[in-house]
Every structure is written in structure tokens, then in C-alpha cells.
Amino acid sequence: MVKDRVAKGFEFAPARSLYHALGLTREELDRPLIGIVSSYNEIVPGHMNLDKITEAVKLGVAMAGGTPIVFPAIAVCDGIAMGHVGMKYSLVTRDLIADSTEAMVMAHGFDGLVMIPNCDKNVPGLLMAAARLNLPTIFVSGGPMLAGHVEGCKTSLSKMFEAVGAYSAGKLSEEKLQEYEEKTCPSCGSCSGMYTANSMNCLTEVLGMGLSGNGTIPAPYSARIELAKRAGMQVMDLVRRNIRARDIMTKDAIYNALTADMALGCSTNSMLHLPAIANECGVEFSLDLANEISERTPNLCHLAPAGPTYMEDLNEAGGVYAVLKELSKKGLINTEVMTCTGKTLGENIAFARNSDNSVIRDIDDPYSQTGGIAALFGNLAPDGCVVKRSAVAPEMLVHEGPARVFNSEEEAIKVIYAGGIKPGDVVVIRYEGPAGGPGMREMLSPTSAIAGAGLDREVALITDGRFSGATRGAAIGHVSPEAASGGNIAYVHDGDIISINIPAHSIELKVSEDELSRRRAEEKLQINEVTGYLKRYRKLVSSADKGAIINR
């Protein structure tokens, strides 16, 4: 056992004395030591219930003959951080989480790990750590929030942001805005649509790192506690059989995750996180690969914000396994990959059933024949950019219009709220990329303001930043190279015509190369000054098309 390097032999008697200081008995030290990485805190709604999940995991580990030891991981609530400087500190935590987990595990000699994440950067950060450490590991999340209800209709956080846009446009009263505020987020859990947190928790099941239901069982349900106990017990089976994280997160498993991503209509943030996880697993990943898989994968789900269904509905319809079962009917996933159950994915989904075709479309009756995400290329984004195609209105799949250019999210929001954006415009928000922000802020506030003003079927938004999974409309992010790196997005002027063709995977700035060369020679990049962690992050982070990974 790994633990033996610090718990056996006379030379490690000092270490054992410190284990005894923890109250551990000799019998406990003779068992496998299981690290439980708990992301519990009292500021993130998706994490406020993780103390209960952690206790259930501990019980499961102990019941199966292990010794559970808890240590923490941080987490940021993107919804609370949205729209101000706090959002610069969201994506950057992904690598802090991976690095700090690596440090804790390597310092203390665990034999296996149970990861307990829930929200946006917490899940991929711990998946990156799991791949890097390559120990027997299993994931159990805190689960999704229940949908809110306003005027008899289900709602979620994306509608809350759109309500702000509607209020600013004079289309919603202050009383109705307050009703949304009080009823939109009714329980603990990760916000109830197919946003980034739920996307990544669902993909954890597909990767084989989480048990069935990990992505969909609602946070308040007692079934979530049962799942946590089973995860605690199952990690002991992984330890006994020496099934490690990279035995599970193989190239085929990652390709399965990308395929399921397209079918589920996941957040565009998965196009940052899957490359970062693949990098830790030694698997090549490109935006061209995303398009290749998207072109052959039908989109089967339109969960909020793309449609009227929510995570609780996906759970009742059969969950992630039911989606995988549909995909398997046409051989679109590799069913032979190993999973944390100790069985293959094919064995896991053998008895899955799609019980609601209004939530999970049949493979022969999809929303579209292509996946939920598309990568676009052209002179505005030579290295690519991404859009959640499944959340774009049909009339905006092809669009051409004049640029309205802003050098920050704040500049754009001010003009949008003032009614300064007109039908047909293409809003460009730059210097918000991984290095330029730094931190690659999500642009939910401007996209929601546009949607709330009723312009989401007439206005496109392009950024080198990123979008929340709660975004809908022709919102195109991750433009690479970014403005801070001298990408062409830095040289767009107001009034320049931008042409977008999502089915053709193209995005073009209709300005001649001679004119762009002149602008590059005459115009200076607008790089803001930063201090502290963000300064270090800026120096090390890669471009978005590479997953905004920390270059080593």
C-alpha cells in the first residue's frame, strides 16, 4: 500500500506518532488510508450539503474496511462571482484545486481517493488531480439544485439573469424581479440547468469516474446520501483490484465524454475542461476533434437554458446512462472501457432505459443530427472559438453584421443596459481571455441582458472570454489567439463587418489582410496591470483552444 511508505518501519515511527495524534488506532493504520477530498463550504449553494455527503462517504469507506481521512478543496460560486472582478478568480481556481490536491496526497501517502466536488471549476480541477496522481479514485458530487417555480413554470439561474436584462429594458417590474430573486434557486445543489457544473458532473459518469446518478440525482434527495455511501464502499474495491484513475480515463473514455457532451448539449466550458483533463491523461485533444465528433453525434437533450427541461427531469428520464444507451444503439460510444464500478461501460448501461422522450430524444428522432457544440475557424479566430449550437436560435446560425467593440465586460454591459445595441449588431468583448483578463471571465451578464431585452434572435456576441453554461443565443467564446496575445480580435473596429456561419464552422472579419497589417503596426495592445496570483497565472496560462492549461 502507498501508505506503508509513511506508516511502516522503525524510521517512520515519528510519522506514526502523528497519526496517533489524530486519534487513529493501530487497527486503522493497518487498513488502506483513503483520502476524502471534500469541497464543503458555506458560501457556495452547491457545496453547502457536502458535509452530509462527506460523512456518508466516510461511513461507506469504513464499512468496506478502509480508514477515511478528510481534507478540503476550495470552490468558487460562479453565480456570485459573476459580473465583477470576482469572476477573474473562477477559472484560475481549477489549477489551484488540482495543485493543492496533488500536494496533500503526495505529502501524506493515501492508498485511494474519493473526490467530493460539485461546482464549475471544482469538478475538472479534481479530475485533473485524479489523473495526475493516478490512484484508485472515485467521484461523488453534491448533486443538482431543484428547479425554481415562478407563475407555475419551472425556472433556473439563467432566467434570473435574463430577468435583470428584462428589468433594465423596462419589460419587467421591480416586484416581479424580486419574485424571481426569491424563487429561482430553491434548494442546495449546483444550479438546475445543463450549466457547467452539471455538465462536468454528468461527464464524470461518462468518463467512468462516478457511479450512475452522480450527475443527475438532485442534491436534496436521500438517494444522494445512498450514492455517497456506495462510492465510499466502491473505492475500496478499486484499491483491492488496483484499478487506477488513468486505467479508467483513457483516450476512448475521453472521446466518449466528448460524444456525450454533444448529445447532452453541455456547456461550452467543457471545451476548456476536457482538453485540460486530457492533457493530464496524456491524450491529445483539439477543437478539430470536437467538430469531428459533433458532426456524427445527434443532439438528444435540450435542458435549460436551451429548452424547458431541467436536471431533475433528466434524472427521472433515466439519467446519463439512458443517454449513453441511446448513443450505443448506433455505435457512437466505446462500451468496452473500464469504469469505477469495476465493470465496463457497456455492462453498466445494459439495463438503462429512456423513460421520457420529451427529455431524452430517441437516437432516431434527435433535436439535430449534429452535436450541441461547434468550433468555428476563420481569420477572426485562426485557432478556433466555440459556440453552444444547441442554444442558438435557427435564424442566428448564419449572421452577418457590424461590430460593436468593447475592451471589457463592464464597458459592454453599460451600453447594453442603456439600450445602445441594435438588431443586427455583433457585440465584441475582448481582453477577457485567459491571459488578457486574466482569468477568462464568463459573460453571462451581457448575454442575459441581450436575451432579456429580446435581442438574442437578432444580435451575436463574440469574446475571447468564455460563457456560462446558462448562456443562450449566438454567443461565441474562447476566440484564439486572444486579444492580449495579438490575435485579430484585438484589431476589430466599430463598424467592421463580421460574418458568422455556424453550420459551416466559419467566422470571418471582413477586413483585408493589408488593413489588418496596418492596424497591427499602428495600434497598441491594451494590457491591464494585475498583481498577486493573477499576475503569475497570466505568465503561465495557455490559450483557450489548448484548454487554458498552466504550461509546465
Side-chain angles (χ1 to χ4, degrees):
M1 292 188 291
V2 177
K3 175 205 61 179
D4 288 350
R5 70 171 182 252
V6 293
K8 296 291 185 181
F10 74 90
E11 66 271 33
F12 289 110
R16 290 196 296 278
S17 73
L18 293 169
Y19 282 126
H20 288 301
L22 294 171
L24 296 180
T25 65
R26 291 188 180 277
E27 290 80 3
E28 287 175 301
L29 290 178
D30 285 337
R31 299 172 180 174
L33 197 65
I34 306 300
I36 299 175
V37 189
S38 174
S39 305
Y40 169 73
N41 63 52
E42 294 184 340
I43 187 62
V44 183
H47 292 232
M48 63 183 286
N49 65 323
L50 296 191
D51 55 341
K52 295 179 176 61
I53 301 296
T54 301
E55 289 304 313
V57 168
K58 288 174 65 178
L59 183 57
V61 169
M63 286 192 296
T67 298
I69 302 288
V70 178
F71 63 90
I74 63 170
V76 164
C77 177
D78 278 19
I80 294 174
M82 195 75 65
H84 60 91
V85 69
M87 182 48 71
K88 293 178 184 287
Y89 288 88
S90 172
L91 179 61
V92 302
T93 66
R94 186 187 70 184
D95 294 273
L96 281 175
I97 291 162
D99 293 349
S100 60
T101 302
E102 175 191 357
M104 287 294 289
V105 172
M106 294 304 294
H108 298 108
F110 294 102
D111 297 301
L113 298 169
V114 181
M115 306 295 201
I116 308 178
N118 210 27
C119 288
D120 295 34
K121 312 310 166 294
N122 198 240
V123 184
L126 290 178
L127 283 165
M128 290 163 65
R132 194 182 300 174
L133 292 160
N134 199 29
L135 290 170
T137 305
I138 195 168
F139 277 65
V140 56
S141 76
M145 184 182 291
L146 294 171
H149 290 82
V150 176
E151 294 183 337
C153 296
K154 287 184 177 181
T155 189
S156 61
L157 188 66
S158 56
K159 291 294 185 183
M160 182 71 251
F161 276 88
E162 290 178 18
V164 173
Y167 174 77
S168 70
K171 296 184 176 183
L172 194 72
S173 68
E174 185 174 350
E175 291 75 20
K176 184 58 68 175
L177 179 65
Q178 184 173 345
E179 183 180 358
Y180 271 98
E181 182 181 328
E182 294 173 352
K183 295 181 178 179
T184 293
C185 299
S187 74
C188 61
S190 49
C191 297
S192 56
M194 187 54 82
Y195 310 146
T196 307
N198 292 325
S199 295
M200 294 310 301
N201 280 321
C202 286
L203 295 186
T204 301
E205 287 190 51
V206 186
L207 285 167
M209 295 297 288
L211 299 175
S212 176
N214 184 56
T216 60
I217 297 172
Y221 285 14
S222 296
R224 177 63 55 179
I225 301 296
E226 295 178 26
L227 182 72
K229 291 176 184 175
R230 289 199 297 272
M233 290 186 281
Q234 185 57 31
V235 76
M236 296 306 300
D237 183 59
L238 296 176
V239 169
R240 282 189 287 269
R241 297 173 63 182
N242 196 30
I243 298 174
R244 297 169 178 256
R246 290 205 299 271
D247 297 330
I248 295 171
M249 287 193 286
T250 61
K251 176 181 175 180
D252 287 333
I254 289 169
Y255 284 16
N256 279 348
L258 185 53
T259 301
D261 183 302
M262 299 302 173
L264 286 163
C266 290
S267 163
T268 51
N269 279 314
S270 62
M271 292 299 102
L272 290 173
H273 302 322
L274 284 176
I277 295 162
N279 176 67
E280 298 289 352
C281 295
V283 174
E284 290 188 11
F285 189 107
S286 69
L287 292 183
D288 286 320
L289 172 65
N291 275 346
E292 178 187 330
I293 289 179
S294 181
E295 285 305 301
R296 64 173 183 256
T297 306
N299 178 226
L300 304 180
C301 299
H302 268 193
L303 289 104
T309 53
Y310 295 82
M311 294 306 297
E312 60 201 65
D313 302 313
L314 179 59
N315 187 63
E316 294 303 318
V320 174
Y321 277 14
V323 175
L324 296 178
K325 186 68 172 289
E326 291 293 337
L327 293 172
S328 72
K329 292 176 182 178
K330 292 196 172 180
L332 294 173
I333 58 168
N334 186 322
T335 57
E336 298 303 313
V337 293
M338 177 55 63
T339 73
C340 66
T341 65
K343 300 176 181 178
T344 66
L345 185 63
E347 290 175 298
N348 287 346
I349 67 173
F351 301 101
R353 185 173 67 90
N354 177 8
S355 62
D356 191 339
N357 299 132
S358 69
V359 179
I360 305 170
R361 289 280 187 95
D362 290 338
I363 193 71
D364 293 320
D365 182 33
Y367 284 102
S368 67
Q369 293 295 335
T370 53
I373 290 175
L376 314 183
F377 297 88
N379 69 342
L380 190 56
D383 295 334
C385 55
V386 298
V387 61
K388 189 170 183 175
R389 172 166 47 186
S390 60
V392 179
E395 56 266 43
M396 288 299 293
L397 290 171
V398 178
H399 179 76
E400 185 171 292
R404 293 295 310 279
V405 183
F406 305 95
N407 287 338
S408 72
E409 178 185 8
E410 288 83 357
E411 287 182 22
I413 279 287
K414 185 177 180 180
V415 172
I416 295 169
Y417 282 163
I421 301 301
K422 306 302 181 187
D425 284 348
V426 178
V427 176
V428 176
I429 304 177
R430 60 193 180 191
Y431 295 107
E432 292 284 5
M440 205 178 182
R441 287 194 288 182
E442 287 186 344
M443 301 287 155
L444 180 56
S445 293
T447 57
S448 297
I450 288 169
L455 293 171
D456 57 297
R457 293 176 178 268
E458 300 175 282
V459 170
L461 194 154
I462 298 171
T463 181
D464 53 7
R466 61 195 176 92
F467 293 110
S468 166
T471 291
R472 64 183 174 93
I476 300 165
H478 307 194
V479 169
S480 301
E482 62 177 294
S485 297
N488 283 341
I489 190 173
Y491 303 105
V492 180
H493 287 186
D494 277 340
D496 287 347
I497 300 301
I498 295 175
S499 177
I500 301 162
N501 190 322
I502 294 173
H505 303 290
S506 73
I507 183 165
E508 293 290 335
L509 174 64
K510 294 199 166 181
V511 173
S512 70
E513 184 54 39
D514 287 345
E515 172 61 16
L516 285 173
S517 294
R518 185 192 66 78
R519 293 179 188 181
R520 291 189 201 101
E522 296 178 0
E523 299 173 12
K524 292 184 177 180
L525 300 179
Q526 306 295 311
I527 308 297
N528 62 327
E529 291 294 326
V530 291
T531 60
Y533 178 58
L534 293 182
K535 184 175 183 179
R536 185 164 75 250
Y537 183 86
R538 168 178 280 170
K539 290 180 178 179
L540 298 173
V541 70
S542 78
S543 59
D545 64 295
K546 300 293 191 297
I549 62 173
I550 296 298
N551 292 313
R552 290 180 171 83

